[in-house]
Amino acid sequence: MEALRTLLDELLEEYPNADVKGHYQFSTVKTCPNFDAAKSASLALTMLDWIDYGPAYAKQMIAVSQTFAQALDAAGIPVFAKSEGFTHSHQFAVEAAEFGGGHTASKKLRQAGFLACGIGLPIDAVEGDMNGLRIGTPELVRWGVTPDRVGEIAALVAKALRSNGPETIADETRALRAEFNTLHYVHI
């Protein structure tokens, strides 16, 4: 908690005119401040995790994201920004036109046991859908997926995207997911 107190003190020093506002200062209909002890405690613990583990966690998310994108590319899945190294962050995008669009692809992946979402990319549009599929790695890394294991996940994602029955892959996804059962980059 000392680290959080130090962080808050630094922010108050940097922003001396900062003021905490309650709902009543923005609306006469809402009369109570927006405070929830459970949310505040969770946020405080999350900030402590980020202070202590943030740089290592961020580095691992980027490494997993890059390796994941490379593995999908090697499997013939069109990954956006290949010429720029696919990604330099915790997420990357698949060009989703051949899968019916990003939203359509995300629903197919959901049936196979994965979560992703459609996004817009600066490429040709997909009529009636998003043209990209966003894949993020924070939760994968939090559960212990490393670059040397993400290829297994990429193979299942590629299989699901090409499948006419992605729900048949859900058991494989569930079995692989069960191997990652320890949280990382958190105070436990």
Side-chain angles (χ1 to χ4, degrees):
M1 288 306 236
E2 185 59 36
L4 183 58
R5 177 77 260 162
T6 301
L7 175 63
L8 292 174
D9 288 344
E10 288 171 2
L11 288 171
L12 286 172
E13 185 175 317
E14 186 173 345
Y15 302 99
N17 296 324
D19 190 17
V20 177
K21 300 282 186 191
H23 288 296
Y24 68 92
Q25 290 156 312
F26 298 104
S27 168
T28 57
V29 177
K30 295 180 181 179
T31 58
C32 65
N34 187 10
F35 177 78
D36 180 326
K39 287 181 185 176
S40 297
S42 297
L43 179 58
L45 290 174
T46 299
M47 293 308 299
L48 289 173
D49 289 341
W50 273 102
I51 289 167
D52 293 340
Y53 303 116
Y57 181 39
K59 183 177 179 180
Q60 188 74 324
M61 284 188 286
I62 293 167
V64 168
S65 189
Q66 289 172 337
T67 304
F68 198 160
Q70 291 165 2
L72 286 176
D73 178 65
I77 302 296
V79 181
F80 180 71
K82 178 178 179 175
S83 64
E84 286 85 37
F86 300 110
T87 185
H88 300 286
S89 77
H90 64 290
Q91 62 187 353
F92 63 94
V94 168
E95 297 176 13
E98 73 179 76
F99 309 111
H103 186 65
T104 300
S106 72
K107 289 196 292 189
K108 188 178 254 197
L109 287 178
R110 182 66 193 118
Q111 292 175 329
F114 295 102
L115 292 177
C117 65
I119 59 167
L121 296 172
I123 58 175
D124 292 340
V126 172
E127 189 170 332
D129 203 335
M130 306 300 287
N131 62 358
L133 175 72
R134 178 200 168 277
I135 298 177
T137 61
E139 192 69 6
L140 295 175
V141 172
R142 181 77 65 170
W143 281 103
V145 174
T146 57
D148 63 315
R149 295 292 309 271
V150 78
E152 298 166 73
I153 296 169
L156 286 175
V157 167
K159 186 176 177 180
L161 287 171
R162 292 193 176 108
S163 175
N164 290 326
E167 66 281 354
T168 63
I169 298 164
D171 286 341
E172 289 179 76
T173 303
R174 194 175 301 103
L176 182 58
R177 168 66 182 88
E179 295 178 33
F180 301 97
N181 57 16
T182 304
L183 287 171
H184 295 75
Y185 306 102
V186 294
H187 292 282
I188 297 181

